[in-house]
mmCIF file of all heavy atoms in Angstrom:
data_model
loop_
_atom_site.group_PDB
_atom_site.id
_atom_site.type_symbol
_atom_site.label_atom_id
_atom_site.label_comp_id
_atom_site.label_asym_id
_atom_site.label_seq_id
_atom_site.Cartn_x
_atom_site.Cartn_y
_atom_site.Cartn_z
ATOM 1 N N LEU A 1 0.617 -3.728 7.732
ATOM 2 C CA LEU A 1 0.127 -2.821 8.770
ATOM 3 C C LEU A 1 1.095 -1.662 8.984
ATOM 4 O O LEU A 1 0.673 -0.537 9.257
ATOM 5 C CB LEU A 1 -0.130 -3.579 10.070
ATOM 6 C CG LEU A 1 -1.238 -4.631 9.978
ATOM 7 C CD1 LEU A 1 -1.347 -5.419 11.273
ATOM 8 C CD2 LEU A 1 -2.565 -3.995 9.596
ATOM 9 N N THR A 2 2.372 -1.909 8.827
ATOM 10 C CA THR A 2 3.365 -0.834 8.899
ATOM 11 C C THR A 2 3.155 0.141 7.748
ATOM 12 O O THR A 2 3.217 1.366 7.921
ATOM 13 C CB THR A 2 4.793 -1.417 8.853
ATOM 14 O OG1 THR A 2 4.952 -2.318 9.950
ATOM 15 C CG2 THR A 2 5.840 -0.327 8.925
ATOM 16 N N ILE A 3 2.881 -0.390 6.562
ATOM 17 C CA ILE A 3 2.624 0.449 5.385
ATOM 18 C C ILE A 3 1.360 1.273 5.603
ATOM 19 O O ILE A 3 1.336 2.483 5.344
ATOM 20 C CB ILE A 3 2.520 -0.424 4.116
ATOM 21 C CG1 ILE A 3 3.886 -1.051 3.805
ATOM 22 C CG2 ILE A 3 1.987 0.372 2.930
ATOM 23 C CD1 ILE A 3 3.843 -2.186 2.809
ATOM 24 N N ALA A 4 0.309 0.626 6.089
ATOM 25 C CA ALA A 4 -0.949 1.337 6.347
ATOM 26 C C ALA A 4 -0.764 2.402 7.427
ATOM 27 O O ALA A 4 -1.316 3.505 7.322
ATOM 28 C CB ALA A 4 -2.044 0.349 6.744
ATOM 29 N N GLN A 5 0.026 2.094 8.452
ATOM 30 C CA GLN A 5 0.295 3.083 9.503
ATOM 31 C C GLN A 5 1.031 4.290 8.914
ATOM 32 O O GLN A 5 0.714 5.432 9.240
ATOM 33 C CB GLN A 5 1.144 2.461 10.620
ATOM 34 C CG GLN A 5 1.424 3.416 11.771
ATOM 35 C CD GLN A 5 0.207 3.629 12.657
ATOM 36 O OE1 GLN A 5 -0.300 2.679 13.250
ATOM 37 N NE2 GLN A 5 -0.262 4.858 12.746
ATOM 38 N N TYR A 6 1.989 4.037 8.040
ATOM 39 C CA TYR A 6 2.732 5.110 7.364
ATOM 40 C C TYR A 6 1.761 6.028 6.616
ATOM 41 O O TYR A 6 1.841 7.255 6.704
ATOM 42 C CB TYR A 6 3.757 4.483 6.411
ATOM 43 C CG TYR A 6 4.558 5.458 5.595
ATOM 44 C CD1 TYR A 6 5.641 6.131 6.151
ATOM 45 C CD2 TYR A 6 4.253 5.686 4.250
ATOM 46 C CE1 TYR A 6 6.402 7.018 5.394
ATOM 47 C CE2 TYR A 6 5.008 6.567 3.497
ATOM 48 C CZ TYR A 6 6.080 7.231 4.069
ATOM 49 O OH TYR A 6 6.812 8.111 3.317
ATOM 50 N N MET A 7 0.812 5.420 5.903
ATOM 51 C CA MET A 7 -0.182 6.202 5.159
ATOM 52 C C MET A 7 -1.123 6.941 6.111
ATOM 53 O O MET A 7 -1.439 8.110 5.892
ATOM 54 C CB MET A 7 -0.981 5.284 4.231
ATOM 55 C CG MET A 7 -0.179 4.685 3.122
ATOM 56 S SD MET A 7 -1.197 3.516 2.194
ATOM 57 C CE MET A 7 -0.097 3.124 0.846
ATOM 58 N N TYR A 8 -1.558 6.254 7.136
ATOM 59 C CA TYR A 8 -2.458 6.858 8.121
ATOM 60 C C TYR A 8 -1.799 8.080 8.748
ATOM 61 O O TYR A 8 -2.428 9.129 8.906
ATOM 62 C CB TYR A 8 -2.815 5.818 9.187
ATOM 63 C CG TYR A 8 -3.878 6.282 10.148
ATOM 64 C CD1 TYR A 8 -5.224 6.081 9.860
ATOM 65 C CD2 TYR A 8 -3.537 6.923 11.334
ATOM 66 C CE1 TYR A 8 -6.210 6.505 10.741
ATOM 67 C CE2 TYR A 8 -4.515 7.350 12.217
ATOM 68 C CZ TYR A 8 -5.853 7.136 11.917
ATOM 69 O OH TYR A 8 -6.830 7.574 12.783
ATOM 70 N N ASP A 9 -0.533 7.950 9.099
ATOM 71 C CA ASP A 9 0.199 9.056 9.715
ATOM 72 C C ASP A 9 0.361 10.241 8.762
ATOM 73 O O ASP A 9 0.601 11.363 9.198
ATOM 74 C CB ASP A 9 1.571 8.591 10.203
ATOM 75 C CG ASP A 9 1.473 7.642 11.394
ATOM 76 O OD1 ASP A 9 0.385 7.547 12.005
ATOM 77 O OD2 ASP A 9 2.491 6.989 11.708
ATOM 78 N N LYS A 10 0.206 9.996 7.472
ATOM 79 C CA LYS A 10 0.278 11.076 6.480
ATOM 80 C C LYS A 10 -1.099 11.695 6.220
ATOM 81 O O LYS A 10 -1.238 12.530 5.346
ATOM 82 C CB LYS A 10 0.893 10.567 5.183
ATOM 83 C CG LYS A 10 2.397 10.319 5.308
ATOM 84 C CD LYS A 10 2.989 9.990 3.962
ATOM 85 C CE LYS A 10 4.479 10.023 4.028
ATOM 86 N NZ LYS A 10 5.051 11.317 3.685
ATOM 87 N N GLY A 11 -2.111 11.245 6.962
ATOM 88 C CA GLY A 11 -3.414 11.889 6.889
ATOM 89 C C GLY A 11 -4.511 11.131 6.162
ATOM 90 O O GLY A 11 -5.584 11.677 5.917
ATOM 91 N N TYR A 12 -4.294 9.873 5.841
ATOM 92 C CA TYR A 12 -5.306 9.090 5.132
ATOM 93 C C TYR A 12 -6.084 8.272 6.166
ATOM 94 O O TYR A 12 -5.635 7.219 6.600
ATOM 95 C CB TYR A 12 -4.636 8.223 4.049
ATOM 96 C CG TYR A 12 -3.910 9.108 3.075
ATOM 97 C CD1 TYR A 12 -2.560 9.372 3.222
ATOM 98 C CD2 TYR A 12 -4.610 9.755 2.070
ATOM 99 C CE1 TYR A 12 -1.905 10.238 2.351
ATOM 100 C CE2 TYR A 12 -3.967 10.625 1.198
ATOM 101 C CZ TYR A 12 -2.620 10.854 1.349
ATOM 102 O OH TYR A 12 -1.972 11.728 0.499
ATOM 103 N N HIS A 13 -7.258 8.804 6.557
ATOM 104 C CA HIS A 13 -7.991 8.270 7.702
ATOM 105 C C HIS A 13 -9.324 7.631 7.340
ATOM 106 O O HIS A 13 -10.220 7.573 8.166
ATOM 107 C CB HIS A 13 -8.212 9.374 8.742
ATOM 108 C CG HIS A 13 -6.928 9.890 9.305
ATOM 109 N ND1 HIS A 13 -6.845 11.072 9.983
ATOM 110 C CD2 HIS A 13 -5.670 9.392 9.290
ATOM 111 C CE1 HIS A 13 -5.601 11.282 10.361
ATOM 112 N NE2 HIS A 13 -4.866 10.270 9.957
ATOM 113 N N SER A 14 -9.471 7.167 6.136
ATOM 114 C CA SER A 14 -10.666 6.432 5.728
ATOM 115 C C SER A 14 -10.245 4.989 5.461
ATOM 116 O O SER A 14 -9.281 4.747 4.732
ATOM 117 C CB SER A 14 -11.245 7.072 4.459
ATOM 118 O OG SER A 14 -12.000 6.144 3.717
ATOM 119 N N ASN A 15 -10.960 4.036 6.045
ATOM 120 C CA ASN A 15 -10.645 2.629 5.835
ATOM 121 C C ASN A 15 -10.710 2.285 4.347
ATOM 122 O O ASN A 15 -9.837 1.606 3.819
ATOM 123 C CB ASN A 15 -11.606 1.749 6.643
ATOM 124 C CG ASN A 15 -11.049 0.371 6.923
ATOM 125 O OD1 ASN A 15 -10.082 -0.076 6.325
ATOM 126 N ND2 ASN A 15 -11.671 -0.319 7.874
ATOM 127 N N LEU A 16 -11.736 2.784 3.678
ATOM 128 C CA LEU A 16 -11.902 2.536 2.252
ATOM 129 C C LEU A 16 -10.704 3.072 1.474
ATOM 130 O O LEU A 16 -10.108 2.367 0.654
ATOM 131 C CB LEU A 16 -13.199 3.204 1.778
ATOM 132 C CG LEU A 16 -13.646 2.883 0.371
ATOM 133 C CD1 LEU A 16 -14.386 1.560 0.367
ATOM 134 C CD2 LEU A 16 -14.564 3.978 -0.133
ATOM 135 N N GLN A 17 -10.351 4.320 1.737
ATOM 136 C CA GLN A 17 -9.241 4.960 1.040
ATOM 137 C C GLN A 17 -7.916 4.266 1.367
ATOM 138 O O GLN A 17 -7.110 4.001 0.471
ATOM 139 C CB GLN A 17 -9.185 6.431 1.437
ATOM 140 C CG GLN A 17 -8.126 7.231 0.721
ATOM 141 C CD GLN A 17 -8.096 8.665 1.218
ATOM 142 O OE1 GLN A 17 -8.219 8.910 2.420
ATOM 143 N NE2 GLN A 17 -7.953 9.597 0.300
ATOM 144 N N LEU A 18 -7.699 3.967 2.614
ATOM 145 C CA LEU A 18 -6.453 3.344 3.034
ATOM 146 C C LEU A 18 -6.249 2.002 2.331
ATOM 147 O O LEU A 18 -5.158 1.714 1.826
ATOM 148 C CB LEU A 18 -6.481 3.156 4.552
ATOM 149 C CG LEU A 18 -5.169 2.985 5.280
ATOM 150 C CD1 LEU A 18 -4.228 4.146 5.026
ATOM 151 C CD2 LEU A 18 -5.433 2.864 6.779
ATOM 152 N N ASN A 19 -7.304 1.202 2.249
ATOM 153 C CA ASN A 19 -7.184 -0.089 1.575
ATOM 154 C C ASN A 19 -6.885 0.056 0.093
ATOM 155 O O ASN A 19 -6.097 -0.709 -0.460
ATOM 156 C CB ASN A 19 -8.434 -0.939 1.800
ATOM 157 C CG ASN A 19 -8.252 -1.878 2.954
ATOM 158 O OD1 ASN A 19 -7.532 -2.869 2.846
ATOM 159 N ND2 ASN A 19 -8.866 -1.561 4.083
ATOM 160 N N LYS A 20 -7.484 1.035 -0.560
ATOM 161 C CA LYS A 20 -7.207 1.216 -1.986
ATOM 162 C C LYS A 20 -5.768 1.700 -2.195
ATOM 163 O O LYS A 20 -5.084 1.268 -3.123
ATOM 164 C CB LYS A 20 -8.183 2.211 -2.637
ATOM 165 C CG LYS A 20 -9.655 1.850 -2.536
ATOM 166 C CD LYS A 20 -9.966 0.421 -2.920
ATOM 167 C CE LYS A 20 -11.264 -0.045 -2.332
ATOM 168 N NZ LYS A 20 -11.183 -0.696 -1.029
ATOM 169 N N LEU A 21 -5.297 2.589 -1.337
ATOM 170 C CA LEU A 21 -3.929 3.100 -1.460
ATOM 171 C C LEU A 21 -2.898 2.003 -1.190
ATOM 172 O O LEU A 21 -1.865 1.937 -1.873
ATOM 173 C CB LEU A 21 -3.722 4.291 -0.531
ATOM 174 C CG LEU A 21 -4.560 5.532 -0.870
ATOM 175 C CD1 LEU A 21 -4.432 6.579 0.238
ATOM 176 C CD2 LEU A 21 -4.180 6.122 -2.221
ATOM 177 N N VAL A 22 -3.184 1.128 -0.253
ATOM 178 C CA VAL A 22 -2.310 -0.026 0.008
ATOM 179 C C VAL A 22 -2.271 -0.920 -1.229
ATOM 180 O O VAL A 22 -1.210 -1.377 -1.665
ATOM 181 C CB VAL A 22 -2.786 -0.799 1.261
ATOM 182 C CG1 VAL A 22 -2.144 -2.175 1.344
ATOM 183 C CG2 VAL A 22 -2.501 0.005 2.520
ATOM 184 N N TYR A 23 -3.432 -1.155 -1.815
ATOM 185 C CA TYR A 23 -3.535 -1.980 -3.024
ATOM 186 C C TYR A 23 -2.755 -1.364 -4.190
ATOM 187 O O TYR A 23 -1.963 -2.056 -4.852
ATOM 188 C CB TYR A 23 -5.015 -2.147 -3.389
ATOM 189 C CG TYR A 23 -5.264 -2.640 -4.781
ATOM 190 C CD1 TYR A 23 -5.081 -3.981 -5.106
ATOM 191 C CD2 TYR A 23 -5.681 -1.765 -5.778
ATOM 192 C CE1 TYR A 23 -5.311 -4.436 -6.394
ATOM 193 C CE2 TYR A 23 -5.921 -2.215 -7.064
ATOM 194 C CZ TYR A 23 -5.726 -3.550 -7.372
ATOM 195 O OH TYR A 23 -5.946 -3.993 -8.644
ATOM 196 N N PHE A 24 -2.958 -0.081 -4.452
ATOM 197 C CA PHE A 24 -2.225 0.573 -5.545
ATOM 198 C C PHE A 24 -0.720 0.517 -5.290
ATOM 199 O O PHE A 24 0.064 0.298 -6.216
ATOM 200 C CB PHE A 24 -2.660 2.033 -5.710
ATOM 201 C CG PHE A 24 -4.033 2.217 -6.283
ATOM 202 C CD1 PHE A 24 -4.923 3.104 -5.690
ATOM 203 C CD2 PHE A 24 -4.450 1.539 -7.414
ATOM 204 C CE1 PHE A 24 -6.190 3.300 -6.214
ATOM 205 C CE2 PHE A 24 -5.725 1.715 -7.936
ATOM 206 C CZ PHE A 24 -6.598 2.611 -7.341
ATOM 207 N N SER A 25 -0.318 0.720 -4.054
ATOM 208 C CA SER A 25 1.107 0.662 -3.714
ATOM 209 C C SER A 25 1.674 -0.722 -4.010
ATOM 210 O O SER A 25 2.776 -0.848 -4.559
ATOM 211 C CB SER A 25 1.330 1.012 -2.243
ATOM 212 O OG SER A 25 0.985 2.351 -1.992
ATOM 213 N N PHE A 26 0.915 -1.750 -3.668
ATOM 214 C CA PHE A 26 1.356 -3.117 -3.957
ATOM 215 C C PHE A 26 1.558 -3.309 -5.457
ATOM 216 O O PHE A 26 2.587 -3.814 -5.904
ATOM 217 C CB PHE A 26 0.347 -4.146 -3.430
ATOM 218 C CG PHE A 26 0.756 -5.558 -3.730
ATOM 219 C CD1 PHE A 26 1.572 -6.239 -2.852
ATOM 220 C CD2 PHE A 26 0.345 -6.180 -4.895
ATOM 221 C CE1 PHE A 26 1.980 -7.536 -3.137
ATOM 222 C CE2 PHE A 26 0.746 -7.472 -5.191
ATOM 223 C CZ PHE A 26 1.573 -8.157 -4.310
ATOM 224 N N GLY A 27 0.562 -2.899 -6.245
ATOM 225 C CA GLY A 27 0.630 -3.092 -7.696
ATOM 226 C C GLY A 27 1.776 -2.331 -8.343
ATOM 227 O O GLY A 27 2.534 -2.893 -9.143
ATOM 228 N N PHE A 28 1.915 -1.069 -8.001
ATOM 229 C CA PHE A 28 2.971 -0.273 -8.628
ATOM 230 C C PHE A 28 4.357 -0.680 -8.138
ATOM 231 O O PHE A 28 5.309 -0.674 -8.917
ATOM 232 C CB PHE A 28 2.729 1.226 -8.411
ATOM 233 C CG PHE A 28 1.668 1.767 -9.312
ATOM 234 C CD1 PHE A 28 0.445 2.153 -8.801
ATOM 235 C CD2 PHE A 28 1.874 1.869 -10.675
ATOM 236 C CE1 PHE A 28 -0.554 2.640 -9.630
ATOM 237 C CE2 PHE A 28 0.892 2.351 -11.527
ATOM 238 C CZ PHE A 28 -0.330 2.745 -10.995
ATOM 239 N N PHE A 29 4.489 -1.049 -6.871
ATOM 240 C CA PHE A 29 5.785 -1.517 -6.383
ATOM 241 C C PHE A 29 6.205 -2.757 -7.166
ATOM 242 O O PHE A 29 7.349 -2.862 -7.620
ATOM 243 C CB PHE A 29 5.737 -1.809 -4.877
ATOM 244 C CG PHE A 29 7.074 -2.189 -4.323
ATOM 245 C CD1 PHE A 29 7.981 -1.208 -3.945
ATOM 246 C CD2 PHE A 29 7.433 -3.525 -4.178
ATOM 247 C CE1 PHE A 29 9.231 -1.562 -3.432
ATOM 248 C CE2 PHE A 29 8.671 -3.877 -3.671
ATOM 249 C CZ PHE A 29 9.571 -2.892 -3.308
ATOM 250 N N GLY A 30 5.298 -3.698 -7.327
ATOM 251 C CA GLY A 30 5.600 -4.913 -8.088
ATOM 252 C C GLY A 30 5.935 -4.621 -9.537
ATOM 253 O O GLY A 30 6.831 -5.238 -10.125
ATOM 254 N N ALA A 31 5.234 -3.659 -10.129
ATOM 255 C CA ALA A 31 5.489 -3.300 -11.528
ATOM 256 C C ALA A 31 6.872 -2.683 -11.701
ATOM 257 O O ALA A 31 7.576 -2.984 -12.666
ATOM 258 C CB ALA A 31 4.413 -2.331 -12.023
ATOM 259 N N TYR A 32 7.259 -1.832 -10.790
ATOM 260 C CA TYR A 32 8.540 -1.132 -10.912
ATOM 261 C C TYR A 32 9.728 -1.908 -10.353
ATOM 262 O O TYR A 32 10.870 -1.563 -10.625
ATOM 263 C CB TYR A 32 8.463 0.239 -10.229
ATOM 264 C CG TYR A 32 7.726 1.257 -11.057
ATOM 265 C CD1 TYR A 32 6.514 1.768 -10.630
ATOM 266 C CD2 TYR A 32 8.235 1.699 -12.269
ATOM 267 C CE1 TYR A 32 5.829 2.700 -11.390
ATOM 268 C CE2 TYR A 32 7.562 2.630 -13.038
ATOM 269 C CZ TYR A 32 6.360 3.121 -12.594
ATOM 270 O OH TYR A 32 5.687 4.037 -13.355
ATOM 271 N N HIS A 33 9.473 -2.939 -9.581
ATOM 272 C CA HIS A 33 10.568 -3.695 -8.962
ATOM 273 C C HIS A 33 10.558 -5.157 -9.381
ATOM 274 O O HIS A 33 10.798 -6.055 -8.574
ATOM 275 C CB HIS A 33 10.517 -3.550 -7.434
ATOM 276 C CG HIS A 33 10.818 -2.171 -6.982
ATOM 277 N ND1 HIS A 33 9.846 -1.203 -6.864
ATOM 278 C CD2 HIS A 33 11.980 -1.569 -6.662
ATOM 279 C CE1 HIS A 33 10.400 -0.071 -6.481
ATOM 280 N NE2 HIS A 33 11.686 -0.262 -6.356
ATOM 281 N N LYS A 34 10.239 -5.363 -10.622
ATOM 282 C CA LYS A 34 10.347 -6.688 -11.238
ATOM 283 C C LYS A 34 9.657 -7.796 -10.438
ATOM 284 O O LYS A 34 10.272 -8.782 -10.042
ATOM 285 C CB LYS A 34 11.803 -7.026 -11.489
ATOM 286 C CG LYS A 34 12.486 -5.998 -12.385
ATOM 287 C CD LYS A 34 13.809 -6.504 -12.830
ATOM 288 C CE LYS A 34 14.641 -5.508 -13.580
ATOM 289 N NZ LYS A 34 14.115 -4.532 -14.406
ATOM 290 N N LYS A 35 8.394 -7.569 -10.198
ATOM 291 C CA LYS A 35 7.512 -8.565 -9.582
ATOM 292 C C LYS A 35 7.779 -8.838 -8.106
ATOM 293 O O LYS A 35 7.284 -9.798 -7.548
ATOM 294 C CB LYS A 35 7.512 -9.863 -10.382
ATOM 295 C CG LYS A 35 7.046 -9.665 -11.821
ATOM 296 C CD LYS A 35 6.745 -10.968 -12.482
ATOM 297 C CE LYS A 35 6.349 -10.774 -13.922
ATOM 298 N NZ LYS A 35 4.997 -10.352 -14.139
ATOM 299 N N MET A 36 8.562 -7.989 -7.453
ATOM 300 C CA MET A 36 8.742 -8.142 -6.006
ATOM 301 C C MET A 36 7.431 -7.788 -5.302
ATOM 302 O O MET A 36 6.711 -6.907 -5.749
ATOM 303 C CB MET A 36 9.843 -7.209 -5.503
ATOM 304 C CG MET A 36 11.239 -7.657 -5.850
ATOM 305 S SD MET A 36 12.492 -6.484 -5.273
ATOM 306 C CE MET A 36 12.116 -6.333 -3.548
ATOM 307 N N HIS A 37 7.156 -8.479 -4.214
ATOM 308 C CA HIS A 37 5.945 -8.205 -3.439
ATOM 309 C C HIS A 37 6.259 -7.193 -2.348
ATOM 310 O O HIS A 37 7.219 -7.362 -1.597
ATOM 311 C CB HIS A 37 5.403 -9.472 -2.806
ATOM 312 C CG HIS A 37 4.857 -10.434 -3.810
ATOM 313 N ND1 HIS A 37 4.200 -11.579 -3.431
ATOM 314 C CD2 HIS A 37 4.855 -10.439 -5.160
ATOM 315 C CE1 HIS A 37 3.807 -12.235 -4.520
ATOM 316 N NE2 HIS A 37 4.207 -11.563 -5.576
ATOM 317 N N LEU A 38 5.450 -6.164 -2.251
ATOM 318 C CA LEU A 38 5.604 -5.151 -1.210
ATOM 319 C C LEU A 38 5.259 -5.726 0.165
ATOM 320 O O LEU A 38 5.835 -5.344 1.174
ATOM 321 C CB LEU A 38 4.714 -3.942 -1.537
ATOM 322 C CG LEU A 38 4.763 -2.754 -0.602
ATOM 323 C CD1 LEU A 38 6.187 -2.179 -0.530
ATOM 324 C CD2 LEU A 38 3.788 -1.673 -1.065
ATOM 325 N N PHE A 39 4.318 -6.658 0.196
ATOM 326 C CA PHE A 39 3.926 -7.337 1.439
ATOM 327 C C PHE A 39 3.329 -8.684 1.074
ATOM 328 O O PHE A 39 3.032 -8.950 -0.099
ATOM 329 C CB PHE A 39 2.934 -6.497 2.254
ATOM 330 C CG PHE A 39 1.714 -6.057 1.494
ATOM 331 C CD1 PHE A 39 0.633 -6.897 1.330
ATOM 332 C CD2 PHE A 39 1.648 -4.778 0.947
ATOM 333 C CE1 PHE A 39 -0.498 -6.493 0.631
ATOM 334 C CE2 PHE A 39 0.525 -4.367 0.243
ATOM 335 C CZ PHE A 39 -0.554 -5.224 0.088
ATOM 336 N N ASP A 40 3.169 -9.546 2.075
ATOM 337 C CA ASP A 40 2.707 -10.916 1.825
ATOM 338 C C ASP A 40 1.222 -11.149 2.088
ATOM 339 O O ASP A 40 0.698 -12.194 1.728
ATOM 340 C CB ASP A 40 3.510 -11.904 2.686
ATOM 341 C CG ASP A 40 4.969 -11.968 2.251
ATOM 342 O OD1 ASP A 40 5.239 -11.823 1.048
ATOM 343 O OD2 ASP A 40 5.830 -12.163 3.134
ATOM 344 N N SER A 41 0.549 -10.226 2.717
ATOM 345 C CA SER A 41 -0.863 -10.411 3.073
ATOM 346 C C SER A 41 -1.742 -10.584 1.839
ATOM 347 O O SER A 41 -1.452 -10.046 0.769
ATOM 348 C CB SER A 41 -1.354 -9.210 3.873
ATOM 349 O OG SER A 41 -0.617 -9.080 5.057
ATOM 350 N N LYS A 42 -2.840 -11.325 2.023
ATOM 351 C CA LYS A 42 -3.810 -11.525 0.944
ATOM 352 C C LYS A 42 -4.514 -10.211 0.608
ATOM 353 O O LYS A 42 -4.822 -9.410 1.492
ATOM 354 C CB LYS A 42 -4.897 -12.513 1.362
ATOM 355 C CG LYS A 42 -4.482 -13.931 1.440
ATOM 356 C CD LYS A 42 -5.711 -14.769 1.818
ATOM 357 C CE LYS A 42 -5.355 -16.214 2.023
ATOM 358 N NZ LYS A 42 -6.550 -16.988 2.411
#
């Protein structure tokens, strides 16, 4: 939710868009940081 708030505050105000951006952030963070999880939520 902190990550989503950060994105929302940057102007991403669509629930659909916000969820996809959170998802992409999770995937790329894990890829670049040796499988670390950006967050624990399902």
